[in-house]
Amino acid sequence: MAERVEIFDTTLRDGEQSPGASMNVAEKLEMAAQLERLGVDIMEAGFPIASDQEFEGVRKVAEAMAGPRVAALARAVDKDIERAAKALEPAKRPVLHTFIATSDIHLEHKLRMSREQVLERAGESVRLAKSLVERVEFSAEDATRSDLDYLVQVTQAAIEAGADVINLPDTVGYTTPTEIEEMFRYVIEHAAGSEKAVFSSHNHNDLGLAVANALAAVRGGARQVECTVNGIGERAGNTSLEEVVMGIRTRQNVYPFETGIVTEEIVRASQMLSNLTGLLVPYNKPIVGRNAFAHEAGIHQHGVIASRLTYEIMTPESVGRSRSELVLGKHSGKHGLAKRCEELGYSLSPAEIGQLYERFIALTDRKKEVFEDDLRVLIASARDESFETYHLKHLRTSGGDPTMALVILERGGEELVETATGDGPVDAACMAIERVTGVSGKLLEFSVRAATPGKDALGDAHVTVEFDGKAIYGQGASTDITEAAVQAYLGALNKYLALKAS
Ligand code: KIV
Ligand code: ZN
């Protein structure tokens, strides 16, 4: 049997650090359930010392997970480690992940500590972590810019203190495949006791090399890869889970390993994350992008018809993308709709199904066929209703320069009517909303794209709006794109009000 490379998913921690990707506790739980179905070996649920909400998120994920190990991050500082251990208390298989930087750049400018002090802190923090939690991972932050022999010393100290996993991260996305392969080989060969630990690789994508570096690290001896769904994460992101897993699966002659990932769950995980965070997946993203399996050129289409082997190295089915998505219609019924949501990985309450069904029926009046992607978009916008203070009852826009908008909002059964003019329909409607609610927001980002092909497509609108200096994400869906945009704006405003009240 092939040797296993364990998949350590950090979507809920490093991934969540992407600008605009923050998830509340309920959203983290929903994503965690999908990661469990995906078969990740370890999921890092958060950084408990960061905030009470972060602590609660880790605790709830730890409570809910039966299969995967659940990890929590802590700096090599006693209070961080104790807080992380507390958050992990309900976990069946907890992992405490503690880290300290080892590069001279970080030692001098960030930590202001000597190499000897960091070496000592690394050992002490692992010892404390190990006294609280049965499994400990130690990370040498900025390992790829650290002196190799010093890295060997720190690794040795961490293993002596009881670390089960040694992670050597490329924190700033600086290394190359050849260098990282050599780094792992060198440290594993020279650190006393290395055979007792699992070596892990955690890469950032600043030079677009995160996946290549992770695969090279595996060739150098790493047996755990840290990654995120859709590659989300700090700056340019992390190693993309789907790319590294499919790289191993597709190129067995180069990477003769196995992972425990149920690859058929990949697309579902990707789409769920995108809907929860609003971070759209580029159409050409490997494995999960809409075009990843679409053959456009006539010569390619001809080849694929003759034999898929001509231009297809993986099948869409192997990553959970069906060639023909089942269409839902007016007659599918509430039960059919609920079943389809479940198949897509969403666990919705009866009240949420009720709201979704209303939107679904309204959509079937405007659009002949409702596809799975339509449904995902509807689910995301119905979700936002749970934050609702104001509900959009009616919207009408007219004229050109300037445009006039009439908006009717509902708040606690009361109808609030307002008109405004603006530079285009979205601007005019947002001005009217501002007048009704008395809340002023600055639109930072706005995009609308079709959820599925066809002239009657559902417009999927995403906005980021700044309220009181805080960037809030909103999503809206309608076959009328102005309405979709206004719903997205109102969704963000409702979230802001809910946040302010909490
Ligand atoms: O990029 C990094 O170095 C990290 C560590 C905390 C593992 O995220
Ligand atoms: Zn990182």
Side-chain angles (χ1 to χ4, degrees):
M1 219 171 76
E3 216 182 318
R4 172 100 160 216
V5 170
E6 299 223 301
I7 298 298
F8 177 114
D9 179 275
T10 183
T11 306
L12 303 177
R13 198 278 297 169
D14 213 334
E16 214 230 1
Q17 285 173 222
S18 318
S22 68
M23 285 176 251
N24 61 33
V25 175
E27 289 167 336
K28 271 197 171 183
L29 274 172
E30 175 120 43
M31 193 62 212
Q34 180 57 27
L35 292 172
E36 187 171 28
R37 286 189 285 272
L38 183 62
V40 304
D41 296 288
I42 305 110
M43 73 176 76
E44 187 164 49
F47 189 19
I49 197 78
S51 69
D52 288 348
Q53 195 191 341
E54 191 75 4
F55 177 89
E56 198 49 27
V58 174
R59 205 172 165 84
K60 284 272 157 46
V61 171
E63 245 164 45
M65 290 302 108
R69 296 182 192 276
V70 175
L73 185 68
R75 287 169 301 181
V77 172
D78 291 2
K79 68 174 186 335
D80 281 37
I81 294 171
E82 283 153 9
R83 189 88 177 129
K86 187 107 195 105
L88 287 171
E89 264 168 11
K92 285 162 203 76
R93 302 167 73 212
V95 180
L96 201 148
H97 177 190
T98 185
F99 73 98
I100 191 163
T102 50
S103 67
D104 288 337
I105 301 175
H106 278 235
L107 263 58
E108 186 184 337
H109 299 287
K110 185 180 84 174
L111 299 175
R112 296 181 194 283
M113 286 167 82
S114 65
R115 285 191 180 183
E116 290 68 32
Q117 285 170 319
V118 166
L119 189 64
E120 203 174 307
R121 190 84 283 268
E124 281 167 2
S125 56
V126 171
R127 250 185 301 279
L128 172 64
K130 194 71 184 172
S131 72
L132 300 170
V133 173
E134 66 199 48
R135 193 170 174 87
V136 172
E137 169 166 331
F138 171 78
S139 284
E141 192 190 11
D142 207 17
T144 53
R145 291 193 301 167
S146 302
D147 176 81
L148 262 184
D149 290 314
Y150 180 59
L151 200 53
V152 168
Q153 279 185 347
V154 177
T155 299
Q156 224 164 264
I159 294 172
E160 263 169 35
D164 304 279
V165 182
I166 298 292
N167 183 33
L168 305 179
D170 184 28
T171 304
V172 291
Y174 179 74
T175 197
T176 66
T178 321
E179 281 174 353
I180 200 169
E181 183 174 340
E182 277 167 13
M183 178 186 78
F184 272 91
R185 217 167 254 137
Y186 189 88
V187 174
I188 292 171
E189 199 179 310
H190 291 86
S194 65
E195 70 290 347
K196 288 189 255 169
V198 174
F199 278 77
S200 178
S201 184
H202 173 114
N203 300 286
H204 282 268
N205 205 27
D206 300 66
L207 293 174
L209 291 172
V211 172
N213 286 336
L215 291 169
V218 168
R219 284 172 64 89
R223 290 295 175 267
Q224 177 177 292
V225 168
E226 307 199 355
C227 45
T228 61
V229 173
N230 297 340
I232 68 166
E234 279 275 355
R235 306 182 308 278
N238 288 54
T239 301
S240 144
L241 180 150
E242 56 279 3
E243 292 176 30
V244 86
V245 165
M246 291 312 287
I248 292 174
R249 180 175 154 155
T250 309
R251 296 306 311 275
Q252 281 285 295
N253 54 335
V254 187
Y255 312 108
F257 302 99
E258 61 164 32
T259 72
I261 294 298
V262 181
T263 59
E264 292 76 11
E265 292 290 336
I266 283 177
V267 166
R268 250 191 292 267
S270 160
Q271 289 172 338
M272 179 179 287
L273 182 68
S274 172
N275 282 341
L276 287 173
T277 59
L279 293 178
L280 301 178
V281 178
Y283 287 168
N284 65 339
K285 168 95 173 61
I287 320 291
V288 292
R290 182 191 280 186
N291 295 349
F293 292 91
H295 302 279
E296 185 69 22
I299 192 167
H300 286 205
Q301 289 179 356
H302 180 81
V304 169
I305 290 165
S307 166
R308 296 216 153 262
L309 290 176
T310 52
Y311 288 102
E312 216 171 75
I313 59 166
M314 305 164 267
T315 64
E317 290 85 358
S318 68
V319 296
R321 189 181 286 285
S322 46
R323 284 185 202 272
S324 58
E325 281 188 352
L326 214 56
V327 175
L328 289 163
K330 230 190 189 71
H331 306 293
S332 303
K334 207 187 260 187
H335 186 69
L337 181 71
K339 188 157 180 298
R340 181 56 57 81
C341 292
E342 211 180 293
E343 284 164 10
L344 291 176
Y346 294 91
S347 53
L348 301 183
S349 67
E352 285 173 321
I353 290 286
Q355 280 166 359
L356 182 68
Y357 188 64
E358 269 177 38
R359 286 176 178 242
F360 168 70
I361 289 298
L363 183 63
T364 57
D365 282 341
R366 292 174 173 189
K367 190 172 187 297
K368 279 202 294 286
E369 296 166 316
V370 178
F371 297 93
E372 286 181 357
D373 278 344
D374 291 320
L375 202 54
R376 285 192 184 95
V377 168
L378 282 189
I379 292 170
S381 58
R383 274 280 158 79
D384 284 354
E385 276 186 20
S386 51
F387 298 99
E388 263 190 12
T389 304
Y390 295 99
H391 178 71
L392 182 66
K393 281 258 338 193
H394 184 75
L395 167 71
R396 186 143 39 94
T397 58
S398 59
D401 190 18
T403 309
M404 203 330 249
L406 166 79
V407 166
I408 305 179
L409 300 186
E410 194 183 81
R411 181 188 178 150
E414 187 192 354
E415 283 195 358
L416 308 155
V417 186
E418 196 50 86
T419 57
T421 53
D423 188 9
V426 176
D427 187 43
C430 291
M431 288 294 284
I433 290 176
E434 197 171 311
R435 284 189 187 158
V436 178
T437 59
V439 181
S440 156
K442 186 169 155 207
L443 195 59
L444 299 179
E445 265 173 36
F446 167 38
S447 70
V448 188
R449 64 182 193 177
T452 47
K455 289 200 196 76
D456 61 352
L458 186 65
D460 179 15
H462 297 257
V463 297
T464 308
V465 189
E466 189 180 299
F467 298 103
D468 273 345
K470 212 172 172 49
I472 312 249
Y473 159 74
Q475 190 263 358
S478 170
T479 48
D480 173 338
I481 57 171
T482 304
E483 192 179 305
V486 173
Q487 269 185 15
Y489 183 87
L490 194 62
L493 189 147
N494 280 324
K495 272 193 196 165
Y496 162 70
L497 294 176
L499 206 74
K500 221 168 108 173
S502 68

